[in-house]
Amino acid sequence: MTTSSTPSAPASAPAPAASASPVRRALRAGTDWFLAPVPLARVAAFRVLIYAFVVLDVLWIRTSVVPHGYVPDLYRPTWLARAVHLPALTPLQGEILLWSLLAACVAGIAAVVAGRLQRTTGVLVALGFWVWMLNSQGYGYISHDHLALMVAVTVLPTAGLTRLRDHTPSQAAGWALRAIQLAVVATYFGSAVLKWMRSGSPAGWANSAVFVWAIMRRGSPLIRWTLEYPWLLILGQWGLYLIELLSPVVLWLRGRWLYVAISTFLFFHLATFLSLGIHFLPTVVCWAAFLPLEKLPFLRARAPR
């Protein structure tokens, strides 16, 4: 006796995967943008540049730490210095910090060349430079041109081991450079926001006489003639205000347009230095985080892996 079997029902097809929500897609796009890999050689070259500049900075630009030791009563620490209980340094402590920081920078450059101990030397540079700057800024002057540089020494150790001729893509290297790029842009955008807040209106600063005041106070012969043309100074203030306000656009530019934007900011700083004697070198150096440094002739020897 045979039993008839009814054909089994076909297996149901798997339900199509639900499309990711807009929030998840946005988060994924943001993560991909922030962690976009870059060649390790780019970070290696940038490390050498930054550590060499820190030497220049403590010997020529922010040289006030040792002299501050003779007037500790004037020390008014910033909120971060208060949070870590950083006291006023004595002249001897300032000298020790100076030479320790210089040695750490030289060791950091040597570590990039040798391809070892880069995290250790990078952390030493970061700690020394932060203590140096917190003391420097605790005597009544905050130099916002150092924002990107301080971020740079902080995040560079996270990139790990890099070599000058290693073009292997790395997300850690990409994250470090992207953080520095954001700090560069924040320097300008934050300045525009403060201009807006302190003047009380979007156009208050741009229509003020701040350029007249600056030129009368410290203007060189190259710029003093503009005092006879107030409309030209107002136009210049509007131009500066707008490029600062639009500075975040630089983060999404590529190729020729990126180089045009960088050249615009560097030309502004050159003009400011020639006309008012004000340089912005710590930020100018950090603009190199936007550049493909691995394409320099002496960094092309090894092919990507």
Side-chain angles (χ1 to χ4, degrees):
M1 176 175 161
T2 62
T3 59
S4 62
S5 60
T6 58
S8 59
S12 59
S19 59
S21 66
V23 174
R24 297 186 67 176
R25 288 199 301 269
L27 289 175
R28 179 59 183 270
T31 302
D32 291 343
W33 176 82
F34 206 96
L35 299 178
V38 302
L40 289 171
R42 185 179 302 184
V43 173
F46 189 76
R47 273 176 165 156
V48 172
L49 175 65
I50 290 300
Y51 294 157
F53 184 81
V54 169
V55 172
L56 176 67
D57 190 78
V58 299
L59 291 178
W60 178 57
I61 301 175
R62 305 307 306 164
T63 61
S64 57
V65 172
V66 176
H68 283 167
Y70 294 99
V71 286
D73 293 341
L74 301 180
Y75 183 51
R76 298 294 183 269
T78 60
W79 69 267
L80 181 56
R82 294 194 301 270
V84 299
H85 304 288
L86 181 68
L89 301 179
T90 66
L92 177 59
Q93 291 171 336
E95 289 282 0
I96 294 174
L97 176 61
L98 172 62
W99 289 105
S100 300
L101 183 52
L102 293 176
C105 290
V106 173
I109 296 173
V112 174
V113 176
R116 56 187 304 179
L117 297 177
Q118 294 176 15
R119 281 198 177 98
T120 302
T121 55
V123 169
L124 292 176
V125 172
L127 290 176
F129 192 60
W130 270 89
V131 174
W132 183 272
M133 288 301 300
L134 287 177
N135 180 276
S136 175
Q137 310 300 290
Y139 286 81
Y141 176 74
I142 304 296
S143 51
H144 68 288
D145 61 333
H146 278 70
L147 170 63
L149 182 61
M150 296 180 74
V151 171
V153 298
T154 304
V155 301
L156 282 176
T158 67
L161 188 65
T162 61
R163 291 181 174 83
L164 289 171
R165 296 180 180 179
D166 187 354
H167 288 214
T168 304
S170 166
Q171 282 188 320
W175 177 87
L177 290 183
R178 186 69 79 191
I180 299 166
Q181 292 173 3
L182 288 169
V184 170
V185 169
T187 301
Y188 300 96
F189 186 72
S191 177
V193 172
L194 285 176
K195 289 180 174 66
W196 186 328
M197 294 174 59
R198 291 182 177 178
S199 64
S201 66
W205 183 90
N207 289 326
S208 70
V210 64
F211 274 15
V212 173
W213 173 82
I215 294 171
M216 293 181 65
R217 178 169 172 258
R218 57 188 302 171
S220 71
L222 290 175
I223 197 69
R224 283 190 171 273
W225 62 271
T226 59
L227 292 174
E228 301 179 8
Y229 303 94
W231 63 269
L232 187 60
L233 296 177
I234 293 295
L235 184 63
Q237 288 173 188
W238 271 104
L240 171 59
Y241 181 65
L242 289 177
I243 65 172
E244 286 183 334
L245 202 59
L246 297 175
S247 58
V249 176
V250 177
L251 294 168
W252 287 273
L253 297 180
R254 295 292 181 270
R256 181 183 304 175
W257 288 109
L258 175 61
Y259 299 142
V260 168
I262 294 175
S263 300
T264 300
F265 283 95
L266 297 188
F267 175 78
F268 159 70
H269 291 307
L270 177 61
T272 303
F273 176 70
L274 294 177
S275 59
L276 300 175
I278 300 174
H279 70 80
F280 234 65
L281 281 179
T283 304
V284 168
V285 169
C286 290
W287 275 106
F290 289 86
L291 301 177
L293 300 177
E294 74 281 0
K295 294 183 179 180
L296 293 171
F298 58 90
L299 299 181
R300 295 179 179 175
R302 184 180 300 176
R305 288 202 301 267

